Amino acid sequence: MTAVDILVGIAFSGAAYAMVLYMTSVGLSVTMGLLGVANLAHGAFAMAGGYFLVTFMERLTVPFGIAVVLSCAAVGVVSLVLERGLYSRIYKGSELDQVVLSMGLIFIATAVAHVLFGAQPVRVILPEAASGQLVVSGFTFPTYRIFLIFAGLCVFGLLWVAIEKTLIGARIRAAVDNRAMAEATGLNSKKLFAAVFALGSVLAALGGSLGAEVMAIEPEYALKHLVYFLIVVAVGGLGSVKGPFFAALLLGVGDSACKIIAPEFGGIFIYVALFILLLIRPNGLFGRV
């Protein structure tokens, strides 16, 4: 294997992994940055998306694409119930209250997953069209990994436009910056915050369901990958759409390179990069000061 083959492999596999990280983590950046909620149970919504996908496909024989949409919708409904019943009560609470609640939800979700699906990772059967290989200039790329990269880019573009360039995005930013003033102009902050929370959860479900082939869905998913989601958000910056995208790319490609070139160091790169970047930019790459 030549050096070019290694570099192409690192770039491709790292980009696919990065897009899964981004799609799953950006919702956490939105809820933590815009709503000020330390929702450590964010990974549980991603795990739920994966389990819903498997359930719709295997037990109800729903096609993959439709199953992904239904999974995101189901997680969105569940998140709205939790937001109104639990999270809305701690918006003005301390960080400790938020952490205790969300960690409790992780343990509950883990236990439910063990009971319903067993301890082993579930397998997602990809459609035949996404299971092949694409040959470009002598290099072979898995079709589904190409799709993941494309999906991540689409999510990034749509989110950036929605948050930064639309009236809804302006209302969200206004409610976060000065909730009392926004409500005085007639803005219903409760409904807006519920919609933002649901959006973050749906994004998690999208990343969990589409990325199940890269990050296996298992009962410990939420706790196992929590540190990676938090790292992407911390490096990218709270409340930012661009930040987590570039942070996920940096960490995904860097982590893949470290594991391929120097496997004896394992995933140490991601922690070293976090340490150095936060020393230079404590608020993250694009964090709101």
Side-chain angles (χ1 to χ4, degrees), residues 135-212:
V135 179
V136 179
S137 300
F139 298 102
T140 302
F141 304 105
T143 305
Y144 190 68
R145 300 294 178 98
I146 296 175
F147 168 74
L148 286 178
I149 295 173
F150 176 75
L153 292 172
C154 288
V155 170
F156 168 64
L158 291 172
L159 268 182
W160 183 78
V161 171
I163 298 296
E164 301 292 339
K165 301 296 182 180
T166 66
L167 179 60
I168 294 177
R171 287 175 175 173
I172 292 173
R173 297 194 305 274
V176 172
D177 292 336
N178 194 326
R179 181 173 180 176
M181 182 62 71
E183 290 178 341
T185 62
L187 185 67
N188 190 325
S189 61
K190 289 184 178 181
K191 290 183 178 180
L192 187 63
F193 281 19
V196 171
F197 188 87
L199 172 63
S201 302
V202 167
L203 288 170
L206 179 64
S209 56
L210 290 181

Side-chain angles (χ1 to χ4, degrees), residues 28-250:
L28 181 58
S29 177
V30 170
T31 53
M32 289 184 68
L34 299 183
L35 303 185
V37 178
N39 181 24
L40 301 187
H42 185 78
F45 294 108
M47 178 180 71
Y51 277 126
F52 272 123
L53 176 69
V54 171
T55 300
F56 288 134
M57 290 184 66
E58 293 188 357
R59 302 182 184 181
L60 302 179
T61 63
V62 176
F64 178 79
I66 298 176
V68 170
V69 174
L70 292 177
S71 300
C72 293
V75 171
V77 171
V78 172
S79 70
L80 284 175
V81 174
L82 291 176
E83 193 275 340
R84 286 292 85 197
L86 296 176
Y87 283 97
S88 62
R89 303 174 186 272
I90 61 169
Y91 280 158
K92 297 181 180 180
S94 67
E95 287 81 2
L96 179 60
D97 293 336
Q98 297 171 5
V99 168
V100 170
L101 172 64
S102 54
M103 288 301 296
L105 289 176
I106 286 179
F107 295 136
I108 292 173
T110 300
V112 171
H114 267 288
V115 172
L116 296 180
F117 298 95
Q120 298 302 314
V122 296
R123 181 170 177 262
V124 176
I125 301 176
L126 299 176
E128 186 176 346
S131 302
Q133 307 256 340
L134 183 64
V135 179
V136 179
S137 300
F139 298 102
T140 302
F141 304 105
T143 305
Y144 190 68
R145 300 294 178 98
I146 296 175
F147 168 74
L148 286 178
I149 295 173
F150 176 75
L153 292 172
C154 288
V155 170
F156 168 64
L158 291 172
L159 268 182
W160 183 78
V161 171
I163 298 296
E164 301 292 339
K165 301 296 182 180
T166 66
L167 179 60
I168 294 177
R171 287 175 175 173
I172 292 173
R173 297 194 305 274
V176 172
D177 292 336
N178 194 326
R179 181 173 180 176
M181 182 62 71
E183 290 178 341
T185 62
L187 185 67
N188 190 325
S189 61
K190 289 184 178 181
K191 290 183 178 180
L192 187 63
F193 281 19
V196 171
F197 188 87
L199 172 63
S201 302
V202 167
L203 288 170
L206 179 64
S209 56
L210 290 181
E213 191 256 349
V214 176
M215 297 166 61
I217 302 299
E218 55 186 329
E220 286 74 27
Y221 180 100
L223 201 56
K224 180 178 180 180
H225 299 294
L226 174 61
V227 65
Y228 290 94
F229 303 150
L230 291 175
I231 286 174
V232 171
V233 173
V235 172
L238 292 178
S240 169
V241 173
K242 294 184 294 184
F245 179 80
F246 290 108
L249 270 179
L250 174 64

